[in-house]
């Protein structure tokens, strides 16, 4: 296991190329930056990987209450070490995968020497079918389980399960005030269906690719869905 300083944190990681890619995305380019008047926002980090986004949120809002959700057994130890060694408070770790219902599901992760784990998912070979996968069974829960209170920010990077997870929430998605969802195109994924659900529940939507705002149609490659709940659409 390697380590480096990323003030005010010490970060542990196994794969250097992947770490630097994610560090630049999250800490340099501020992919998950958001603003809130709540000094102690409630945040869900869905697809926490080794915890970089969770630590970013704690740097942004030291009093934040974060739920870090990550099922991948290949990174769990690193995630826990990053949380423990940096002594972050008010972070709850959940070793589960988000899905449309509670149960278990086959989960695929990189078994090659490349060891690129941020693309682990329910899809053999990763969302873009370029990975050599190993598999395991992981427990699943619906996102609704975490929506028993208002959520200031939802970060979702769950590698192609975002449609089933969001649609299963129904109107409970209104518990979220602001979200950033990484959309992974695939045969079981529809950007239009996700955006329709969010619009029906009172969210304004903006789509992003490569840091630039883009129109709805058509879409190829990864797309960020940024959705903000309009103030007159509360639960």
């Amino acid at each position: 296991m390697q380590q480096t300083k990323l003030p005010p944190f010490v970060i542990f990681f196994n794969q250097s190329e992947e770490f630097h890619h994610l560090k630049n995305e999250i800490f340099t380019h501020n992919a998950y930056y958001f603003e809130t008047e709540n000094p102690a926002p409630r945040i869900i980090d869905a697809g926490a990987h080794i915890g970089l986004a969770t630590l970013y949120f704690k740097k942004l809002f030291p009093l934040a209450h974060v739920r870090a959700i990550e099922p991948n057994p290949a990174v769990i130890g690193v995630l826990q070490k990053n949380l423990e060694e940096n002594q972050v408070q008010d972070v709850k770790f959940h070793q589960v995968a988000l899905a449309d219902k509670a149960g278990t599901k086959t989960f695929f992760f990189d078994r090659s020497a490349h060891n690129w784990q941020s693309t682990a998912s329910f899809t053999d070979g990763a969302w873009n079918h370029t990975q050599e996968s190993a598999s395991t069974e992981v427990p699943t829960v619906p996102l609704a389980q975490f929506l028993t209170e208002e959520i200031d920010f939802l970060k979702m990077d769950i590698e192609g399960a975002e449609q089933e997870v969001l649609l299963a929430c129904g109107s409970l998605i209104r518990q979220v005030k602001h979200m950033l969802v990484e959309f992974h195109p695939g045969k079981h994924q529809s950007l239009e269906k996700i955006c329709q659900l969010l619009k029906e529940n009172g969210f304004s939507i903006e789509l992003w690719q490569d840091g630039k705002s883009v129109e709805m149609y058509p879409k190829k490659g990864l797309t960020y869905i940024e959705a903000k709940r309009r103030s007159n659409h509360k639960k």
Side-chain angles (χ1 to χ4, degrees):
M1 188 180 297
Q2 303 174 65
Q3 72 178 76
T4 190
K5 291 183 179 180
L6 188 58
F9 307 116
V10 175
I11 307 294
F12 297 85
F13 57 95
N14 287 329
Q15 213 276 24
S16 180
E17 181 184 0
E18 182 179 48
F19 162 72
H20 287 288
H21 172 81
L22 295 173
K23 179 200 72 172
N24 288 337
E25 178 183 43
I26 296 169
F27 280 86
T28 303
H29 299 298
N30 295 293
Y32 300 126
Y33 177 82
F34 74 100
E35 296 180 356
T36 177
E37 295 180 358
N38 185 355
R42 298 190 179 277
I43 300 169
I44 294 175
D45 180 3
H49 189 241
I50 64 169
L52 291 185
T54 290
L55 294 176
Y56 173 81
F57 293 135
K58 291 299 291 186
K59 181 178 180 180
L60 200 60
F61 302 104
L63 299 179
H65 305 274
V66 184
R67 291 185 179 270
I69 303 169
E70 176 56 56
N72 187 356
V75 299
I76 293 303
V78 184
L79 170 59
Q80 291 177 312
K81 189 170 183 65
N82 280 326
L83 298 180
E84 292 169 1
E85 293 291 334
N86 289 290
Q87 299 181 331
V88 290
Q89 303 296 313
D90 297 315
V91 174
K92 293 183 179 180
F93 164 57
H94 303 269
Q95 190 176 347
V96 297
L98 293 182
D100 57 348
K101 60 185 177 181
T104 60
K105 202 166 181 177
T106 303
F107 188 81
F108 299 91
F109 56 96
D110 190 4
R111 70 175 182 180
S112 73
H114 194 52
N115 193 30
W116 193 283
Q117 295 299 334
S118 59
T119 53
S121 68
F122 294 137
T123 303
D124 190 0
W127 71 272
N128 55 3
H129 306 288
T130 61
Q131 197 173 83
E132 181 183 354
S133 296
S135 66
T136 187
E137 295 296 306
V138 298
T140 62
V141 297
L143 177 61
Q145 177 174 313
F146 301 100
L147 302 182
T148 57
E149 56 190 354
E150 189 171 67
I151 302 300
D152 293 279
F153 190 76
L154 165 65
K155 167 256 177 178
M156 181 179 288
D157 183 4
I158 55 175
E159 300 298 314
E162 47 272 16
Q163 177 172 310
E164 68 169 275
V165 168
L166 290 171
L167 265 59
C169 287
S171 62
L172 272 178
I173 199 63
R174 297 178 191 177
Q175 287 279 56
V176 180
K177 297 176 67 175
H178 188 176
M179 71 181 77
L180 191 67
V181 177
E182 189 167 329
F183 174 80
H184 301 74
K187 62 181 180 180
H188 301 299
Q189 292 264 99
S190 168
L191 182 62
E192 292 78 13
K193 284 185 179 180
I194 294 175
C195 290
Q196 180 181 357
L197 168 77
L198 296 175
K199 289 177 180 177
E200 288 175 351
N201 284 281
F203 288 87
S204 59
I205 295 173
E206 190 163 8
L207 303 179
W208 301 87
Q209 281 189 331
D210 301 320
K212 298 179 181 179
S213 179
V214 295
E215 298 298 325
M216 176 69 75
Y217 308 99
K219 285 292 158 298
K220 294 182 180 180
L222 298 177
T223 303
Y224 284 101
I225 307 170
E226 184 174 16
K228 298 180 181 180
R229 193 190 69 203
R230 294 188 288 272
S231 59
N232 60 334
H233 280 80
K234 297 182 180 180
K235 184 181 177 184

